[in-house]
Amino acid sequence: MLEIRSLEKRFDEIEVLRSIDLEVHRGELVFVIGPSGSGKSTMLRCCNRLEEPTSGAIFIEDRRITDIPRKDLDAMRQQVGMVFQSFNLYPHMSVLKNVVLAQKYALKRNRAAAEEKAMALLEQVGLAHKAQAMPSELSGGQQQRVAIARALALDPKVMLFDEPTSALDPELVGSVLKVMKDMKEQGMTMLVVSHEMAFAREAADRVVFMDGGVVVEQGPPEEIFGNPKSSRLREFLSHVS
């Protein structure tokens, strides 16, 4: 579903990503871990061209998205949903309108169809009863679940998550992770950057460890956490355990 080939990214003379190769298969949840500054978020942002790769290629379902002209990026991004650390909801719009808006303008759905889709997704994330609330009336965890519903409303093929729980109080994290786990069970393809190690152990199909702009090691959670091969991964896990 998602393939990264020889991806490199430089900011002036600083090499942030160095020849990254990674595949995410249909329906797979791949979890990316690593220290701050290892290039995790930059790699994720390259996957929907929020950052432009210096070199290399990225494919979604065999379509080389790194060749898409900038004027066509909005259409491509409908296929690659992204959830950020900050929720980025429109503060002057209700929860329902936040989830409806992109459907109307990006997918040209009529109001009735967009509202029906939005309510179904709000039900999925446990917030149908908050449809008429304003974002300021929600907790951080609820706002993040609305942001997930909004991304899902565009029917993406792949979902990218960039530290989706890092801005949340600890007691609110579980509600967001439950939504992500439900999405996995429904077959959504997901690439997740996060420090939620317990969630990675439980829900990930594969865990990727990055450091210094490269993929150091990857494998199923039981191998990465239970039998790490590289000394750098062992050192990292000893600090986050």
Side-chain angles (χ1 to χ4, degrees):
M1 180 64 79
L2 170 65
E3 183 179 3
I4 301 170
R5 296 183 190 169
S6 302
L7 179 65
E8 298 194 354
K9 176 64 179 179
R10 297 182 190 86
F11 294 100
D12 296 324
E13 299 303 313
I14 301 172
E15 194 172 33
V16 179
L17 299 175
R18 297 185 288 150
S19 196
I20 298 287
D21 291 305
L22 183 65
E23 294 182 358
V24 182
H25 303 288
R26 188 182 305 274
E28 191 177 28
L29 194 168
V30 174
F31 209 95
V32 184
I33 64 174
S36 298
S38 59
K40 307 183 302 296
S41 292
T42 299
M43 178 188 71
L44 211 64
R45 291 170 65 86
C46 285
C47 288
N48 70 351
R49 302 269 302 276
L50 287 174
E51 293 287 356
E52 290 292 348
T54 302
S55 62
I58 300 172
F59 297 81
I60 301 289
E61 280 194 326
D62 297 324
R63 184 185 185 193
R64 186 169 175 143
I65 66 169
T66 36
D67 288 346
I68 294 174
R70 294 197 64 83
K71 64 182 178 64
D72 297 327
L73 286 182
D74 285 346
M76 179 275 290
R77 287 175 180 147
Q78 293 171 28
Q79 301 179 1
V80 188
M82 189 159 186
V83 177
F84 301 88
Q85 299 177 32
S86 54
F87 322 122
N88 297 325
L89 301 179
Y90 292 108
H92 61 290
M93 291 185 175
S94 69
V95 165
L96 180 64
K97 288 181 178 178
N98 264 279
V99 183
V100 162
L101 185 66
Q103 299 181 64
K104 289 177 61 180
Y105 288 97
L107 301 183
K108 309 302 181 186
R109 284 184 181 142
N110 63 48
R111 177 178 294 277
E115 288 187 353
E116 181 179 359
K117 176 79 170 182
M119 287 304 299
L121 288 168
L122 289 172
E123 180 72 33
Q124 180 179 327
V125 302
L127 290 173
H129 64 295
K130 294 288 189 180
Q132 299 306 323
M134 302 301 286
S136 61
E137 300 174 294
L138 305 182
S139 69
Q142 290 172 330
Q143 290 187 59
Q144 190 62 292
R145 284 147 61 194
V146 174
I148 293 172
R150 181 178 59 185
L152 289 173
L154 296 179
D155 300 322
K157 296 176 179 177
V158 179
M159 283 286 288
L160 310 175
F161 291 85
D162 187 10
E163 300 283 6
T165 61
S166 66
L168 302 180
D169 292 333
E171 66 267 25
L172 303 177
V173 168
S175 63
V176 174
L177 297 182
K178 181 183 183 303
V179 169
M180 295 170 65
K181 188 174 181 181
D182 290 344
M183 290 167 59
K184 171 181 162 49
E185 291 174 355
Q186 293 167 15
M188 176 58 70
T189 305
M190 303 162 69
L191 182 60
V192 180
V193 168
S194 176
H195 289 96
E196 298 291 342
M197 300 298 168
F199 182 69
R201 287 176 180 266
E202 176 188 0
D205 294 297
R206 186 155 37 97
V207 177
V208 175
F209 173 62
M210 288 182 62
D211 188 36
V214 301
V215 172
V216 177
E217 191 170 338
Q218 62 177 300
E222 56 270 22
E223 288 186 10
I224 292 295
F225 294 109
N227 186 30
K229 296 179 175 61
S230 68
S231 59
R232 184 64 189 95
L233 176 54
R234 289 194 294 272
E235 179 187 8
F236 173 77
L237 292 175
S238 72
H239 287 101
V240 299
S241 298

